[in-house]
């Protein structure tokens, strides 16, 4: 079974940018997407139902309503959609999610932006960011003045599966790869994703001061999730230098 249950029929979207937040290295995609949803007060737009997703139900503080672990949030004013995942997802499931979303992508002329961390030990310099693309997604990277890769590499995990699906279907898509801590949640790298990548592509401005001032709090809150991701490497979206496989 694969379907999208739209909860907010009144939300009107016109060629929206969709930001994917599957958890991975440094939890950069999840931290960035969760922050995006909260900063712009995005509404819970739809639940994603796919048979390959973990058969669990999610509830939230002060709300008895159950939801699916993978959901879409929307901001009609900014033509922005965020995919939020509260569970690790393996690549096979992510491929099914991509197939599940394909009709919705086509109907709404969506530009998906996929997020990955590239494991690097922290140094003095801020984390580097570069972009990759399928179809005409390179045009969006050029307009946003996002750097090109400095070395060959590959993207694995659920984000890699969705990028591969976009490549196979000839769909326009963008991937953002940011250097991130390979062992711990990395709010600084998530902030780089937002400021240098997501905001310029989507044409929005996202306040990110909280990612700096509350970095330790965020890191501690996400630590258990990060440990779970380290124990399930297949489910962890990550970019890796291709020379590792040569």
């Amino acid at each position: 079974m694969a379907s999208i249950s739209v909860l907010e029929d009144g939300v009107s979207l016109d060629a929206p940018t969709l930001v994917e937040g599957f958890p991975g290295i440094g939890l950069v995609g999840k931290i960035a997407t969760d922050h995006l949803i909260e900063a712009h007060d995005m509404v819970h737009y739809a639940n994603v139902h796919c048979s390959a997703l973990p058969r669990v139900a999610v509830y939230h503080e002060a709300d008895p309503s159950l939801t699916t672990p993978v959901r879409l949030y929307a901001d009609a004013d900014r033509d922005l959609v965020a995919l939020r995942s509260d569970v690790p997802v393996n690549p096979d499931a992510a491929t099914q999610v991509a197939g599940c979303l394909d009709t919705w992508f086509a109907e709404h002329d969506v530009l998906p932006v996929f997020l990955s961390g590239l494991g690097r030990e922290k140094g003095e310099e801020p984390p580097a960011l570069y972009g990759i693309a399928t179809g005409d997604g390179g045009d969006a990277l050029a307009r946003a003045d996002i750097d090109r890769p400095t070395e060959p590499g590959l993207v694995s995990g659920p984000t890699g599966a969705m990028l591969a699906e976009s490549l196979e279907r000839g769909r326009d898509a963008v991937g953002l790869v940011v250097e991130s801590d390979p062992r711990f949640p990395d709010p600084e790298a998530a902030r780089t994703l937002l400021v240098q990548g997501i905001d310029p592509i989507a044409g929005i401005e996202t306040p990110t001061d909280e990612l700096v001032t509350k970095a330790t709090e965020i890191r501690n809150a996400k630590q258990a999730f990060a440990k779970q991701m380290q124990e399930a490497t297949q489910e962890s979206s990550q970019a890796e230098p291709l020379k590792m496989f040569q």
Side-chain angles (χ1 to χ4, degrees):
M1 182 190 73
S3 64
I4 298 176
S5 299
V6 175
L7 307 176
E8 294 286 344
D9 290 325
V11 174
S12 178
L13 299 167
D14 181 18
T17 301
L18 178 138
V19 181
E20 167 266 324
F22 281 123
I25 292 294
L27 291 184
V28 290
K30 178 164 180 55
I31 293 172
T33 305
D34 286 356
H35 182 78
L36 196 72
I37 291 168
E38 293 165 9
H40 296 298
D41 198 22
M42 299 174 71
V43 299
H44 182 186
Y45 172 75
N47 288 331
V48 178
H49 302 275
C50 287
S51 59
L53 290 173
R55 297 290 290 170
V56 298
V58 176
Y59 60 90
H60 300 94
E61 182 180 358
D63 186 353
S65 302
L66 290 173
T67 68
T68 55
V70 178
R71 305 178 297 282
L72 298 179
Y73 290 77
D75 182 336
D77 292 338
R78 295 177 175 85
D79 273 321
L80 184 67
V81 179
L83 184 152
R84 184 180 224 166
S85 178
D86 288 332
V87 293
V89 175
N90 67 48
D92 289 340
T95 300
Q96 287 202 24
V97 172
C100 172
L101 292 171
D102 187 65
T103 300
W104 187 83
F105 278 0
E107 287 176 352
H108 293 83
D109 193 20
V110 171
L111 175 67
V113 179
F114 301 111
L115 310 176
S116 290
L118 175 65
R120 289 280 194 268
E121 294 299 328
K122 303 292 284 185
E124 295 291 332
E125 298 295 321
L129 173 83
Y130 62 78
I132 52 181
T134 63
D136 292 331
D139 294 342
L141 294 176
R143 288 193 299 270
D145 196 26
I146 294 172
D147 289 341
R148 298 183 178 190
T150 57
E151 61 182 351
L154 62 81
V155 181
S156 58
T159 299
M162 295 190 80
L163 280 165
E165 184 81 0
S166 296
L167 180 62
E168 181 177 343
R169 293 179 181 272
R171 183 193 301 127
D172 298 345
V174 168
L176 297 176
V177 177
V178 65
E179 292 180 344
S180 54
D181 194 309
R183 294 170 295 172
F184 303 106
D186 195 339
E188 181 188 7
R191 182 178 185 274
T192 296
L193 276 176
L194 286 161
V195 174
Q196 298 183 21
I198 295 168
D199 279 5
I201 289 172
I204 61 176
E205 292 185 12
T206 303
T208 58
D209 289 346
E210 191 170 291
L211 287 175
V212 177
T213 59
K214 295 187 177 181
T216 301
E217 180 181 331
I218 294 168
R219 191 177 295 112
N220 291 340
K222 302 291 188 183
Q223 187 60 45
F225 204 143
K227 187 175 187 298
Q228 186 179 6
M229 295 304 304
Q230 288 175 351
E231 294 170 351
T233 55
Q234 188 184 39
E235 286 81 6
S236 181
S237 292
Q238 60 182 304
E240 303 170 74
L242 196 58
K243 62 187 176 185
M244 294 178 62
F245 303 93
Q246 295 176 336

